Amino acid sequence: IIMVVAGLSLLSCTQRSLPEKQAEEHLPNFSLITNEGKITTDHFLQDGRPEFLLFISPYWGTCVSELRKLAKSDKGLSSLANIYVIAMNPGDTFDELKQMSDGHPEWIYALPADTSTLGDITGLTRSTKILVSERNVILGRYKMGEWKLNEWIAIFRNSS
């Protein structure tokens, strides 16, 4: 009897310690203004590529340094995912974003379509980076100061 109770205790302990499968988090629907016009997150699904979303404030030091770091060497990130550089402040312009990034015509520069756009995305702060799969599933979120380019590249490679 003692062996049966001990075995059941061990089994229940093992079952409780198994990790729970996390539910997929999808990017909420929001709108951006790009050079091509107004787009929504549905646009992300059209080309079958993942997205790297970088939310920045052009006058915030960390945002500027992270964008310039990415501009100097994206280590092939732009070949794996569409890179969106998204301004967070009302009044920011496409020209300001492009100047900060030293070119990169392959990147997509965007402004929020309205004041509610940024509120629709949970956990958003300056210099937030969000990795989104080609199915619109959030693969990772990184806050200001978290710079893990090699990790992001590996995530995108492993997701396809």
Side-chain angles (χ1 to χ4, degrees):
I1 294 178
I2 294 174
M3 298 275 283
V4 171
V5 171
L8 289 174
S9 294
L10 181 61
L11 179 62
S12 91
C13 181
T14 304
Q15 287 175 340
R16 279 192 302 234
S17 64
L18 293 175
E20 293 182 27
K21 184 173 176 172
Q22 299 276 339
E24 286 185 345
E25 179 185 7
H26 290 264
L27 197 63
N29 192 18
F30 61 90
S31 300
L32 298 171
I33 305 296
T34 69
N35 283 333
E36 307 297 316
K38 187 175 182 179
I39 64 168
T40 66
T41 47
D42 291 337
H43 176 82
F44 295 163
L45 299 170
Q46 291 177 358
D47 64 1
R49 288 187 52 153
E51 320 298 334
F52 178 84
L53 309 179
L54 174 59
F55 294 86
I56 65 164
S57 175
Y59 300 106
W60 192 261
T62 304
C63 293
V64 173
S65 67
E66 289 187 354
L67 181 58
R68 288 195 175 140
K69 191 185 302 185
L70 184 60
K72 284 182 184 170
S73 174
D74 75 6
K75 295 184 180 181
L77 182 64
S78 58
S79 68
L80 296 171
N82 297 321
I83 297 178
Y84 282 80
V85 179
I86 305 165
M88 292 189 67
N89 301 327
D92 291 339
T93 67
F94 293 118
D95 289 337
E96 289 171 320
L97 297 174
K98 289 177 184 177
Q99 287 173 358
M100 289 173 42
S101 62
D102 298 326
H104 289 282
E106 73 278 15
W107 293 0
I108 302 156
Y109 301 94
L111 307 171
D114 53 49
T115 55
S116 69
T117 294
L118 298 178
D120 293 339
I121 305 165
T122 58
L124 193 61
T125 62
R126 287 183 179 99
S127 196
T128 295
K129 283 79 64 183
I130 302 177
L131 287 64
V132 184
S133 78
E134 61 277 357
R135 295 178 297 110
N136 216 25
V137 174
I138 295 177
L139 301 172
R141 291 175 184 263
Y142 299 82
K143 300 291 183 189
M144 180 171 34
E146 293 182 308
W147 192 258
K148 300 181 180 183
L149 186 55
N150 291 331
E151 182 177 311
W152 304 333
I153 290 169
I155 288 170
F156 281 130
R157 282 189 177 137
N158 293 332
S159 74
S160 54

